[in-house]
Amino acid sequence: MLLSTKGDYGVRAMIDLAKHEGEGPVQRAEIARRRQIPESYLDHLLAQLRRGGFIRSTRGPGGGHELARPADQICLLDLLESLEGSLAPLQCVENPAGGPEAICGQDWVWKEIYDDMRVRLAAVSLADLVEHERDHERELVTSAHYVI
Amino acid sequence: MLLSTKGDYGVRAMIDLAKHEGEGPVQRAEIARRRQIPESYLDHLLAQLRRGGFIRSTRGPGGGHELARPADQICLLDLLESLEGSLAPLQCVENPAGGPEAICGQDWVWKEIYDDMRVRLAAVSLADLVEHERDHERELVTSAHYVI
DNA sequence: ACAATGTTGACCGGATTGGTCGAGAATAGT
DNA sequence: ACTATTCTCGACCAATCCGGTCAACATTGT
């Protein structure tokens, strides 16, 4: 597994914030409930997202969390690399391999895959993810209509 | 990191066997030395490769390991999936997600990347990897020639 | 003052990783 | 039959990571 729950949950949380953009701070408890994330674990992810500059948090009653920038200016690549660290599929793809090692033998294959992956992830914004989710919801509603 | 040392070392070992195809069994100690893999750890990887049907092993003096099929009939995808298990980058990409979860939100992006990745890996054979390594060696020799 | 909320860091059990080690089984050569 | 060589198998182990809990504290609105 390339991504741990950090990347999964973290992006879920960001999608939730993006969906409620402009409605004031969203509370930890709400995010946790809607996205099925353990509340106390979500803490750590929000802290990481804050340090990464993706969200702003305000304390006290009526406090909560909001996006630091518009959803269409946050791409999935930045988000995931901030949450997970490097997404390199293989050790020797990331580091410069020091000397003339070349002992790995499959690095060139993975370099291609990795580059392509990063391009794709960079092309998807948080806004795209929200839009996709809204589309999916509409689909569900429609199919339910015909079933019932 | 998507791949652990299992996938890295395992493929290294297979490249080594492919490179010495037709020269009789290659011994564990040789592979370990040439490819810089701890000998006793290599044991486990060879066992896994044997169970996966990729190699045959013979005991006793003069024994060792050889490819079970020609190198051009073994693709990187099969090897890695046998060594590492599923290469799915995200939980929800692999399992059918049970009910109408769709809570992940980024699964569609990763499904595309995953499919593409598997196609690429399926297109690379062990023979390709050996050829690439030989090319690389020639390059090194050539550049060394000019430097000296 | 008090309640609501976020912030931080310590801690924890279980799984996985990346090995080591030793006893044993098969086989070739003598 | 004996021995040296080589693979085979499973037990074991230390370190790290993962997913998560918890308690103590800081900040702010009323």
Side-chain angles (χ1 to χ4, degrees), chain A residues 61-110:
Chain A
H65 310 269
E66 4 178 28
L67 297 187
R69 322 193 281 273
D72 59 0
Q73 286 169 37
I74 299 177
C75 76
L76 192 50
L77 178 66
D78 291 344
L79 218 41
L80 287 175
E81 290 196 332
S82 173
L83 286 163
E84 295 274 359
S86 163
L87 298 179
L90 195 62
Q91 196 69 40
C92 59
V93 166
E94 190 66 348
N95 69 3
E101 298 210 2
I103 204 170
C104 167
Q106 55 175 318
D107 48 356
W108 58 277
V109 182
W110 285 104

Side-chain angles (χ1 to χ4, degrees), chain B residues 38-55:
Chain B
E39 204 174 327
S40 33
Y41 186 42
L42 183 54
D43 255 10
H44 296 313
L45 306 179
L46 291 171
Q48 228 173 311
L49 290 168
R50 199 180 325 117
R51 284 193 293 269
F54 297 105
I55 64 173

Side-chain angles (χ1 to χ4, degrees), chain A residues 11-58:
Chain A
V11 170
R12 286 191 205 185
M14 287 296 285
I15 291 177
D16 202 77
L17 292 186
K19 215 163 179 179
H20 297 82
E21 214 178 350
E23 302 175 15
V26 181
Q27 281 139 30
R28 186 181 58 167
E30 284 185 67
I31 305 174
R33 181 178 46 77
R34 278 196 294 255
R35 303 290 161 165
Q36 303 185 24
I37 307 171
E39 206 175 325
S40 34
Y41 187 41
L42 182 54
D43 259 8
H44 296 313
L45 306 179
L46 291 172
Q48 229 172 310
L49 290 167
R50 198 179 325 115
R51 283 192 293 270
F54 297 105
I55 65 174
R56 264 174 298 134
S57 310
T58 50

